């Protein structure tokens, strides 16, 4: 994918001459200053990689735009699900937050469950509490071992 940004006055040129494809990010903004025409965003754009390892299947989303700063691992997984067409199930535990209980039709039970990690390390908090940053690699995997590490990391 590519990132495209254009200052005021070039929108008609961009619409007529620049092909926009799935995965592109288009930033439009208004400015009165032709010299300092950089967009001001309230936070930085966050692109991550999301990998999901289920029993006999794998889903990988590369260079996924998940939003601005203050995005959680659960937010990123939900965005990947919308793009790739898989469902996410969560269970809320008072005092603990939302835990991922199912991905792509594979639900956890008393002996198997979903874990996740960021940048090769298992997370010590729930997916709804783990903040992600630009360039992070998120891995969700189905396992029966709480001590397991992210596959392929």
């Amino acid at each position: 994918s590519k990132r495209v940004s254009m200052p005021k006055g070039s929108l008609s040129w961009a619409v007529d001459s620049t092909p926009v494809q799935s995965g592109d990010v288009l930033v439009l903004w208004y400015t009165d200053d032709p010299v300092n025409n950089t967009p001001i965003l309230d936070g930085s754009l966050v692109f991550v990689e999301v990998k999901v390892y289920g029993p006999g299947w794998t889903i990988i989303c590369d260079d996924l735009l998940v939003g601005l700063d203050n995005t959680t691992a659960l937010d990123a997984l939900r965005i990947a699900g919308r793009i790739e067409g898989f469902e996410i199930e969560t269970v809320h535990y008072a005092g603990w937050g939302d835990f991922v209980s199912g991905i792509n039709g594979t639900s956890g039970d008393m002996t198997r469950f979903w874990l996740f990690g960021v940048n090769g390390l298992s997370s010590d908090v729930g997916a709804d509490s783990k903040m992600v940053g630009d360039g992070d690699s998120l891995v969700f995997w189905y396992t029966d071992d709480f001590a397991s590490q992210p596959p392929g990391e």
Side-chain angles (χ1 to χ4, degrees), residues 31-43:
T31 180
D32 288 330
D33 185 349
V35 175
N36 183 18
N37 58 14
T38 302
I40 299 172
L41 300 172
D42 187 17

Side-chain angles (χ1 to χ4, degrees), residues 126-144:
D128 70 331
S129 298
K130 183 67 174 180
M131 305 308 288
V132 298
D134 191 42
D136 281 350
S137 176
L138 288 71
V139 178
F140 292 80
W141 71 99
Y142 194 65
T143 184
D144 61 359

Side-chain angles (χ1 to χ4, degrees), residues 52-55 57 89 91 93 99-103 106-116 122 139-149 151:
V52 183
Y53 295 96
W57 53 267
E89 301 166 34
V91 175
Y93 294 98
F99 284 79
V100 175
S101 59
I103 301 175
T106 302
S107 297
D109 56 32
M110 295 302 290
T111 60
R112 295 189 62 83
F113 37 84
W114 286 97
L115 293 179
F116 82 99
S122 294
V139 178
F140 292 80
W141 71 99
Y142 194 65
T143 184
D144 61 359
D145 181 3
F146 276 111
S148 67
Q149 293 299 307

